[in-house]
Amino acid sequence: MSGSANGSVGGRLVVYWAIAGIPLLWGVWQTLSNVIKLFQ
């Protein structure tokens, strides 16, 4: 496997993590915000 192909796979992995991770982080943030409101 050449170095450029390996870099391409790594870049693709970052994109997939961003696509999956951003909504996941948003959901965690919303959940924590709601929990904080409940306990105030």
Side-chain angles (χ1 to χ4, degrees), residues 3-21:
S4 63
N6 195 14
S8 165
V9 171
R12 209 173 278 170
L13 190 64
V14 169
V15 171
Y16 290 149
W17 268 109
I19 291 169

Side-chain angles (χ1 to χ4, degrees), residues 21-37:
I22 290 170
L24 182 65
L25 288 173
W26 178 256
V28 170
W29 176 255
Q30 292 298 312
T31 302
L32 290 176
S33 299
N34 290 333
V35 167
I36 290 167
K37 288 177 190 172

